[in-house]
Amino acid sequence: MKKLQICILGSTGSIGTQALDVIRQHPDRYEAYCLTANNSVDKLVAQAREFSPACVVIANEDHYKEVQDALSDRPDIKVYAGKEALNEVVEAGPVDMVLASMVGFSGLVPTIHAIKAGKKICLANKETLVVAGELILDLVRRHHVALLPVDSEHSAIFQCLYGEDADQVDKILLTCSGGPFRLFTQEQLEHVTAADALKHPTWDMGAKITIDSASLMNKGFEVMEARWLFGVPADRIEVLIHPQSVIHSGVQFVDGAVKAQLGVPDMRLPIQYAFSFPEQGERLDLFKMGHLDFFRPDQEKFRCLALAYEAIGKGGNMPCILNAANEVANLAFRQGRLSFLGMADVISKTMEQATFDATPDLEVYLQTDREARAIASGLIG
């Protein structure tokens, strides 16, 4: 059987490293054709030495010589640098699929290039659909590309809907652990730090996504992603706090029945499912679960989730404004320049001040991202 050639955008991040675990476990089925990173030189070089890809790309051109020198004894591995190199490598002829696992807005343009090149897309970069869902889905249809979700929640929903009649769907049930601050009071939230937020109770994720999970902005992004992936309006996507993270999400049908996907909280499972669809992964031992709990999220305490619903309700480029402001606020919180509750304030004010466009194209999205980042940065000071 021919090995599937995979280009991993963001191979040194949480999703990328777990995807390489999948490749490591199934060397007869998958092969890393290209690995990319932004700044993590040592990790990228180590990965290149182990997996021997045809090429690597370091997006930050300042690190090009360092990577090139470190791999000078490996002439079989070509080294490229810069954002344009990311756009070009996903179009390479041997590539069968692209795992889009770069963090944030930066993943949008390379994913568009991969779609236009007809590559299968395993999407872990939710911001691509948050920012430009309508544009992406239109491109997917026009280029007849398979777009498979890698997020555990969306992989679960995809599996629940597979073989079902879309007309019979009443609502989507999107679960989340609730993050480390689920039981905190408003007063306690005023004093939490980035170090506190990075103690996610269940999942091993990168710093940015872990902070988004603590604020529930990540869940807001996933509502937007689900809206585009499955064609269900946001008001029919219900968020459930589920601390055990065993039910990864589900679907309620018009007859009242609920179909849910259960599994151990391990991102390698949805990654492998996306790589090998429609095959299934490992099993869950229900006898070890004990009990499963569900709670409604408090959108007054966790305003970021409410802002996400507001942005998708407004439509146009408002989700792009939300995403850009969140990336700036998230970083400021991690750097100790903004409080946990202050993130929602900055995002809300940016949404009020940024230029709204009801019918954006790619150029508008790029301009909106720049403008919203400038506004949010100015608000933080």
Side-chain angles (χ1 to χ4, degrees), residues 18-97:
Q18 290 176 87
L20 287 172
D21 277 344
V22 173
I23 293 175
R24 189 181 288 118
Q25 291 165 14
H26 302 277
D28 57 323
R29 303 186 63 181
Y30 310 119
E31 196 164 64
Y33 179 83
C34 179
L35 304 176
T36 83
N38 188 37
N39 290 302
S40 301
V41 171
D42 292 342
K43 261 191 174 183
L44 182 63
V45 169
Q47 290 175 347
R49 289 191 172 281
E50 178 180 356
F51 291 92
S52 300
C55 61
V56 297
V57 178
I58 187 77
N60 186 338
E61 296 182 31
D62 293 342
H63 298 310
Y64 173 69
K65 189 174 188 307
E66 190 178 353
V67 176
Q68 189 180 47
D69 289 348
L71 293 173
S72 60
D73 62 330
R74 292 296 303 271
D76 55 314
I77 304 174
K78 292 183 170 57
V79 179
Y80 303 105
K83 293 180 180 178
E84 192 55 40
L86 294 174
N87 299 335
E88 292 174 359
V89 75
V90 298
E91 300 172 344
V95 172
D96 296 302
M97 69 178 81

Side-chain angles (χ1 to χ4, degrees), residues 34-345:
C34 179
L35 304 176
T36 83
N38 188 37
N39 290 302
S40 301
V41 171
D42 292 342
K43 261 191 174 183
L44 182 63
V45 169
Q47 290 175 347
R49 289 191 172 281
E50 178 180 356
F51 291 92
S52 300
C55 61
V56 297
V57 178
I58 187 77
N60 186 338
E61 296 182 31
D62 293 342
H63 298 310
Y64 173 69
K65 189 174 188 307
E66 190 178 353
V67 176
Q68 189 180 47
D69 289 348
L71 293 173
S72 60
D73 62 330
R74 292 296 303 271
D76 55 314
I77 304 174
K78 292 183 170 57
V79 179
Y80 303 105
K83 293 180 180 178
E84 192 55 40
L86 294 174
N87 299 335
E88 292 174 359
V89 75
V90 298
E91 300 172 344
V95 172
D96 296 302
M97 69 178 81
V98 174
L99 173 62
S101 58
M102 295 169 65
V103 176
F105 184 83
S106 60
L108 174 62
V109 175
T111 302
I112 288 175
H113 278 263
I115 292 170
K116 288 182 176 179
K119 308 301 184 183
K120 174 183 175 181
I121 308 296
C122 298
L123 187 65
N125 171 262
K126 60 178 63 67
E127 289 86 354
T128 291
L129 289 182
V130 168
V131 169
E134 189 170 9
L135 172 66
I136 293 296
L137 268 291
D138 179 61
L139 288 171
V140 164
R141 284 189 291 268
R142 280 199 278 139
H143 293 276
H144 308 288
V145 166
L147 176 66
L148 292 170
V150 168
D151 270 353
S152 63
E153 295 86 352
H154 299 87
S155 177
I157 296 164
F158 180 83
Q159 292 175 57
C160 290
L161 289 173
Y162 187 61
E164 299 286 355
D165 186 345
D167 293 338
Q168 296 302 305
V169 174
D170 179 37
K171 61 183 176 181
I172 284 174
L173 305 173
L174 195 63
T175 61
C176 68
S177 72
F181 307 139
R182 179 174 65 85
L183 300 177
F184 279 40
T185 64
Q186 191 82 9
E187 291 71 30
Q188 287 175 307
L189 288 176
E190 292 176 357
H191 304 291
V192 299
T193 66
D196 298 326
L198 290 171
K199 298 172 184 175
H200 193 280
T202 309
W203 296 97
D204 177 18
M205 304 175 290
K208 191 265 182 185
I209 297 175
T210 303
I211 300 300
D212 282 344
S213 295
S215 70
L216 296 196
M217 179 59 87
N218 189 59
K219 202 52 50 179
F221 286 161
E222 290 178 1
V223 170
M224 297 182 188
E225 188 178 7
R227 180 260 179 272
W228 292 113
L229 283 171
F230 309 116
V232 176
D235 60 4
R236 287 168 49 203
I237 302 173
E238 185 174 354
V239 174
L240 286 76
I241 304 295
H242 171 47
Q244 292 87 2
S245 297
V246 170
I247 294 180
H248 297 310
S249 279
V251 177
Q252 186 162 46
F253 296 91
V254 292
D255 64 357
V258 173
K259 185 177 179 182
Q261 190 266 346
L262 287 71
V264 294
D266 184 343
M267 277 305 301
R268 286 170 294 190
L269 299 179
I271 291 169
Q272 185 175 341
Y273 185 85
F275 283 177
S276 62
F277 174 77
E279 297 175 18
Q280 298 290 332
E282 71 179 63
R283 298 172 182 174
L284 170 73
D285 185 352
L286 289 173
F287 294 103
K288 294 180 180 178
M289 294 301 99
H291 62 91
L292 304 175
D293 300 309
F294 303 93
F295 309 94
R296 293 186 186 278
D298 185 341
Q299 294 192 36
E300 291 185 7
K301 192 166 63 174
F302 294 96
R303 289 177 57 213
C304 287
L305 178 57
L307 290 171
Y309 273 105
E310 179 184 332
I312 197 168
K314 182 81 170 178
N317 67 335
M318 190 56 72
C320 181
I321 295 168
L322 173 93
N323 178 73
N326 179 68
E327 289 194 23
V328 172
N330 182 305
L331 178 60
F333 174 64
R334 281 181 278 148
Q335 294 175 337
R337 298 185 293 113
L338 186 65
S339 69
F340 182 79
L341 296 177
M343 289 191 290
D345 293 334

